Amino acid sequence: MARVRLSVAERREELLRAAVEQIEARGVAAVRIADVASALGVSNALVLYHFSSKEQLVAAAFAHAAEADLAHLRRLLGRRTTAVRRLRAAVRWYAPTGQAKGWRLWIEGWAASLRDPELRRVAASLDQEWKAALTRVIAEGAAAGEFRCTDPASAAWRLTAFLDGLAVQTTAYAGSLSRTAMLRWADAALVRELDLPAGNEEPGGGAEPLSDTEKAARADAATGGPGGPVGRDPEETA
């Protein structure tokens, strides 16, 4: 059966999707142009026509994988609600238990970028976009009096570093931390950075009951952080 003729943009999209899948399956170091070509049933020459080297293909694949995530982040942060609600939604989505692109892919990318200048440039640009988006909303919330934060850019850096660190730990040591604990810690980090009160009302808005996880996060922040051993919750099923 003849393949459907694709436009240049469609072919590039197809190649990038295949490259992301192959990187996730094989890792950056092991993936080859031939793997991507074979996955689609095309020639190596066709892949090289669109991407002149493996390095260029890998860098473009990472940018492609992040594009949808960044678009979703902008939608979350652009909602018509309080800055606190927008930031909490973004942090929970970005956290390792959320729906952001597979963390294994990004950890692979970080490691490879130490030796690949093009991939390092792409990764740094994407990281800056994430931090800039967080910084803007933190600044908006502080200006509106929802919370206190004298240095939104530094707060965005610390939040990102914390979530990235959790991602590395939970990806490298799967099962070492429960989903409940993960979300609680992510919420607690946001509470600390925004200096949120420990009550049951959203700052700057009307009274609204918080979830049990949010209450626990605020309690953790008030006592300096979550306590107890790291591990699965007793009530969590395997």
Side-chain angles (χ1 to χ4, degrees), residues 84-85 88 197-203 207-216 218:
V84 170
R85 285 179 178 276
R88 180 168 283 120
N200 290 336
E201 294 184 359
E202 288 285 348
E208 180 168 349
L210 299 178
S211 68
D212 290 341
T213 300
E214 290 168 331
K215 291 176 183 177
R218 293 191 176 189

Side-chain angles (χ1 to χ4, degrees), residues 37-188:
S38 177
L40 293 175
V42 300
S43 67
N44 292 0
L46 178 63
V47 180
L48 290 169
Y49 173 79
H50 291 272
F51 305 97
S52 60
S53 66
K54 170 189 166 179
E55 290 73 23
Q56 188 183 88
L57 173 62
V58 168
F62 272 88
H64 175 77
E67 188 173 328
D69 280 353
L70 286 170
H72 186 72
L73 173 67
R74 295 186 191 103
R75 287 195 294 272
L76 289 175
L77 296 180
R79 289 175 175 173
R80 292 187 175 182
T81 185
T82 65
V84 170
R85 285 179 178 276
R86 286 179 282 157
L87 289 166
R88 180 168 283 120
V91 165
R92 283 176 166 235
W93 169 75
Y94 184 82
T97 55
Q99 298 301 313
K101 197 68 182 176
W103 276 103
R104 187 177 298 277
L105 175 70
W106 295 111
I107 293 170
E108 284 273 0
W110 289 335
S113 70
L114 295 174
R115 299 174 180 82
D116 184 339
E118 177 63 15
L119 184 55
R120 183 163 60 248
R121 182 190 65 77
V122 170
S125 176
L126 297 170
D127 184 65
Q128 289 167 8
E129 284 194 58
W130 160 261
K131 290 187 176 78
L134 275 187
T135 298
R136 285 192 294 272
V137 179
I138 294 172
E140 288 174 17
E146 292 185 38
F147 47 76
R148 290 177 295 177
C149 183
T150 58
D151 190 347
S154 293
W157 267 82
R158 287 189 295 268
L159 280 170
T160 301
F162 177 75
L163 294 172
D164 288 349
L166 281 181
V168 172
Q169 288 289 314
T170 56
T171 302
Y173 311 111
S176 61
L177 188 66
S178 72
R179 175 179 173 82
T180 300
M182 180 75 67
L183 291 177
R184 184 186 304 159
W185 290 11
D187 279 346

